[in-house]
Amino acid sequence: MSWLTAEQALNLLGTKSQTLYANVSRGRIRAKPDPTDTRRSLYFADDVKRLAARHAGRRKTEAVAADAIQWGDPVLPSALSTISHGRLFYRGQDAAKLAEYATLEEVACLLWDMKRPLRLEGQGGNYEPSALAAVFSALAERASTDLPSLGRSLPALRNEAESVFGTVADALAPGLSHVPLHLRLAEAWNQPDAAELIRRSLVLLADHELNASTFTARITASAGATLSAAALSGLSTLTGPLHGGAWQSVRSLMDLAASIGAEEAVRSYLAEGRSLAAVGHPLYPDGDARARALLACFTLPPLFAEVRRAAEELVGEPVNVDFALTAMTSAYHLPRDAPLIIFALARTVGWLAHAMEQSASGHLIRPRARYVGPPVE
């Protein structure tokens, strides 16, 4: 039998002496007096090595999980979308190629795996400046009355998803049910020339793996909540300035550029240590594929072109989809919050797809916390 000194055991375990003694008292590590010095103990090597391996595995798992939840490796399986080699795919189809011809309704059928065309029951009406507030209210009302998603078949959930999406569409893009959503938005905003770019934007923004709002929607669905509640939780997360609200940071940069010049505005941000929401994306090291697909279809207003040139040169990364949406909004004279409205309408499709997928799995999403607070007794 092989025995270790306390120092050797502690080096293997990577713990404090109190933990070593506690493991001995609990019978996890066998110990005996040191024949050369009865004031010291020796510890059975196999017991120490077994515990050390277990602790190392736990630490590795915790480190991987912590890294994964912040732009890391995938944390749960999904058949809906992925980013691979700088391209975005919906169920294996390149989103940029789909954006050349598809509508959001067709992408919904793809992501929801529906075998029939989408049927939305539009109620007509006019676009209201408070459209976002209206959709929050409508989803909140439904969330308290719709049936929970738990224990229901996929066909039943798809029908309900269609209804929830119709509720969102009525608030954000009011119009007749037979009119495609991009045309309804263009008409509501009195900018028919923008319809084609709106269509492309809606397709490109329909889903994006486990972004913050989608992960939130999946957590909600995993508890068995209603699909409307899942969409509502996704929408709430989307409004944050680090997610769908990033257009406001781009708008602020443009306002500053209009005042002091494009290069000076970018330099001012960098000099103050402020990040530029207009450039870069952690999942697209060579540039946001969605931004490329949009920017190739219209001419940037002069100031946006100047800011793009200065930002890409000084930061060293291409502009992203938040910049592209804000530039499109300016180029086609859309409402100031058009980027968020487009984002919310499109991403509702993805939230509902993920909510249904999560419901079908039957698993509750419940991560553990890595405690870093005061020592516990």
Side-chain angles (χ1 to χ4, degrees), residues 95-273:
K97 291 182 179 178
L98 284 171
E100 294 177 3
Y101 62 86
T103 64
L104 180 60
E105 291 90 331
E106 290 168 341
V107 170
C109 289
L110 172 65
L111 289 174
W112 299 355
D113 198 24
M114 287 182 67
K115 307 306 180 187
R116 60 167 176 80
L118 203 65
R119 294 192 292 262
L120 299 180
E121 297 180 359
Q123 302 299 317
N126 298 316
Y127 180 79
E128 298 292 337
S130 58
L132 203 61
V135 76
F136 268 110
S137 297
L139 285 175
E141 183 176 351
R142 287 195 60 145
S144 63
T145 57
D146 288 350
L147 286 174
S149 58
L150 192 66
R152 300 171 66 194
S153 70
L154 271 176
L157 289 177
R158 289 190 190 106
N159 289 338
E160 183 148 314
E162 192 174 41
S163 175
V164 172
F165 186 45
T167 295
V168 173
D170 271 353
L172 298 181
L176 300 176
S177 59
H178 68 278
V179 178
L181 288 169
H182 62 283
L183 294 178
R184 284 163 58 170
L185 264 183
E187 182 178 349
W189 291 337
N190 296 312
Q191 296 296 340
D193 291 345
E196 176 62 12
L197 263 294
I198 293 172
R199 182 191 62 75
R200 287 176 180 266
S201 302
L202 291 171
V203 171
L204 291 166
L205 292 171
D207 198 36
H208 205 236
E209 285 193 355
L210 290 180
N211 56 83
S213 59
T214 296
F215 193 43
T216 305
R218 286 193 79 122
I219 291 172
T220 304
S222 79
T226 65
L227 293 184
S228 47
L232 179 60
S233 61
L235 179 63
S236 300
T237 306
L238 182 73
T239 60
L242 297 183
H243 194 6
W247 68 273
Q248 296 184 80
S249 296
V250 178
R251 188 70 261 175
S252 296
L253 173 64
M254 297 309 304
D255 291 343
L256 184 60
S259 175
I260 65 174
E263 184 166 337
E264 284 304 309
V266 173
R267 286 184 178 276
S268 173
Y269 266 66
L270 297 178
E272 295 172 8

Side-chain angles (χ1 to χ4, degrees), residues 193-194 196-198 200-201 204 290-302 304-305 308 319-334:
D193 291 345
E196 176 62 12
L197 263 294
I198 293 172
R200 287 176 180 266
S201 302
L204 291 166
R290 301 165 300 171
R292 274 200 307 273
L294 271 184
L295 293 172
C297 299
F298 70 99
T299 301
L300 284 175
F304 278 86
R308 179 186 186 181
V319 293
N320 55 33
V321 75
D322 299 304
F323 175 88
L325 280 175
T326 310
M328 184 186 81
T329 296
S330 178
Y332 286 87
H333 307 289
L334 304 180

